[in-house]
Amino acid sequence: MRYPEFLPENGTIGFIAPSFGCNIEPYQSAFRNALKTFQSKGYQTKLGPNCFEGSGIGISNTPEKCAQEFMDAWQDKESDILMSCGGGELMCEILPYVNFMTIKNTPAKWFQGYSDNTNLAFLLATICDTAAVYGPCAPAFGMEPWHTSLEDSFSILTGSSVCDTDSASFTVHGYDLYEIESLKDEEHPLVPYNVTQPVIRKRFPDENTAFSGRLIGGCLDILCMLCGTKYDQVKAFNDRYADDGIIWFLEACDLNVLSIRRAVWQLDQAGWFSHAKGFLIGRPLNGEALFGLDQYDAVTEVLKKYDVPILMDLDIGHLPPMMPLIEGSMADVKIAGNDLTIRMDLI
């Protein structure tokens, strides 16, 4: 696994919009304030041509232009790291124009984003053996003040929270509260997360546990779409890291509980979970029970045959805050009571 260099002091953050751009409120104002915040911390910022674009369908621009923006930024020697301007709907359409061989053969950079950005974060790790951060997109950093999750995310990009200098290790913890309803709107673009709901983490089996493995995953909406395409190189990834085993993190955006069940079944039948050591499941955005199926059975009934820990209602994905997770890292996961700790080693 290739791990990029960290963002240096006074370094340059490159912003790109391979999915939606920040062309409407509240995202535009939040993004502009994020730029000011990063600059106030001494960092330079470099914007790709699509950051404020909204001329595409489900993405900021045409698939060709979005892919070109990413490839240019990846090869640009000025930007030290890359951060996505947002999620979206049809980022998958840029993939035919992304040169994964070029990515493999050029120096690695940290790329951060989530949701639709699974199209890059997941494939960087599984195709290119290049780590990426599944974490907040750029406009989130415009909130005042930053939530702890944003501090955690940025500290990974800068390397400032390395807890073991010998192995470059990061540790994140589950948060106490989460947001059900955002207060952010066009008139209040900079408000912080409205965290009001206590986090109660569930696990199957219901016992304290610890496990380790190579960390990989993303948004189920995207993963099931990639499954079976030429970009599906999960079997080769699993084989490369068979001795480590795989910890899968999964979360869902538009999918309801029945769609989640189908998506997990599809990945299971495709053999993706053959080396699973455990599963980390985020809070689903649309988790209401349907036909007697709740969000827990939607997952556990398919995955219980692997006889590995399944942790649910975690701080991953679309109901913030979200723990930043390093795609491709070697992770140690521990849960005791309601306390969750994930240590990620860059080995």
Side-chain angles (χ1 to χ4, degrees):
M1 184 61 57
R2 299 196 306 163
Y3 296 101
E5 297 290 329
F6 299 120
L7 175 65
E9 186 176 355
N10 301 320
T12 299
I13 307 170
F15 297 93
I16 55 175
S19 192
F20 277 158
C22 296
N23 65 305
I24 60 173
E25 297 294 355
Y27 307 104
Q28 184 175 125
S29 292
F31 179 48
R32 291 188 187 279
N33 200 57
L35 296 175
K36 292 179 182 178
T37 300
F38 289 130
Q39 291 162 4
S40 72
K41 294 177 178 292
Y43 298 102
Q44 312 302 309
T45 56
K46 184 173 183 179
L47 277 61
N50 298 321
C51 288
F52 291 107
E53 268 289 344
S55 56
I57 298 175
I59 50 178
S60 61
N61 211 321
T62 65
E64 294 91 338
K65 289 182 178 179
C66 288
Q68 189 63 54
E69 180 189 50
F70 171 68
M71 293 304 302
D72 288 346
W74 184 267
Q75 298 174 86
D76 172 29
K77 295 182 179 180
E78 185 177 348
S79 297
D80 297 297
I81 67 168
L82 302 177
M83 188 178 294
S84 177
C85 284
E89 302 295 339
L90 292 176
M91 187 175 163
C92 57
E93 294 185 358
I94 81 169
L95 296 179
Y97 309 103
V98 173
N99 191 324
F100 289 100
M101 185 59 67
T102 295
I103 293 171
K104 279 185 176 182
N105 294 321
T106 51
K109 289 184 180 181
W110 286 114
F111 169 79
Q112 178 168 299
Y114 82 110
S115 192
D116 206 23
N117 293 283
T118 299
N119 283 288
L120 282 179
F122 180 76
L123 296 184
L124 283 171
T126 55
I127 294 179
C128 303
D129 269 322
T130 300
V133 180
Y134 195 77
C137 296
F141 293 89
M143 72 173 63
E144 296 180 351
W146 280 7
H147 184 271
T148 303
S149 60
L150 298 180
E151 299 282 359
D152 289 345
S153 172
F154 198 59
S155 68
I156 288 177
L157 297 174
T158 62
S160 61
S161 66
V162 171
C163 63
D164 185 337
T165 55
D166 290 333
S167 63
S169 167
F170 297 90
T171 297
V172 294
H173 302 274
Y175 309 110
D176 295 331
L177 301 170
Y178 73 95
E179 176 182 276
I180 294 179
E181 185 174 357
S182 175
L183 299 179
K184 180 183 288 189
D185 57 27
E186 293 182 5
E187 297 181 354
H188 307 90
L190 309 183
V191 295
Y193 294 139
N194 180 34
V195 288
T196 59
Q197 190 71 15
V199 175
I200 301 175
R201 286 170 263 275
K202 295 184 180 293
R203 57 280 187 103
F204 303 88
D206 187 14
E207 57 189 31
N208 295 341
T209 188
F211 52 99
S212 63
R214 191 68 57 172
L215 191 62
I216 199 72
C219 183
L220 267 172
D221 307 45
I222 309 304
L223 295 176
C224 65
M225 176 202 64
L226 293 172
C227 182
T229 69
K230 65 180 180 181
Y231 308 104
D232 176 359
Q233 297 186 23
V234 173
K235 183 182 185 303
F237 180 84
N238 282 341
D239 290 345
R240 285 197 300 276
Y241 297 105
D243 291 342
D244 298 330
I246 308 297
I247 296 176
W248 282 92
F249 67 89
L250 305 169
E251 57 98 6
C253 178
D254 294 332
L255 305 183
N256 62 29
V257 292
L258 293 170
S259 302
I260 290 171
R261 177 73 164 259
R262 289 192 291 265
V264 174
W265 179 88
Q266 179 184 1
L267 301 186
D268 167 49
Q269 293 298 308
W272 280 29
F273 305 142
S274 60
H275 296 291
K277 298 289 289 294
F279 295 91
L280 310 178
I281 312 296
R283 295 181 289 267
L285 190 59
N286 296 293
E288 297 84 1
L290 293 171
F291 297 101
L293 181 71
D294 65 20
Q295 67 183 76
Y296 306 108
D297 287 342
V299 172
T300 58
E301 286 303 301
V302 177
L303 300 181
K304 64 183 180 182
K305 68 181 182 182
Y306 292 101
D307 195 27
V308 297
I310 305 171
L311 310 187
M312 302 192 68
D313 283 336
L314 304 190
D315 304 304
I316 305 170
H318 286 77
L319 283 175
M322 64 183 300
M323 299 179 295
L325 298 178
I326 302 174
E327 302 258 19
S329 64
M330 189 66 189
D332 291 306
V333 178
K334 296 179 181 179
I335 188 166
N338 203 41
D339 296 329
L340 173 69
T341 301
I342 302 176
R343 170 176 166 141
M344 295 170 285
D345 294 308
L346 308 192
I347 56 176

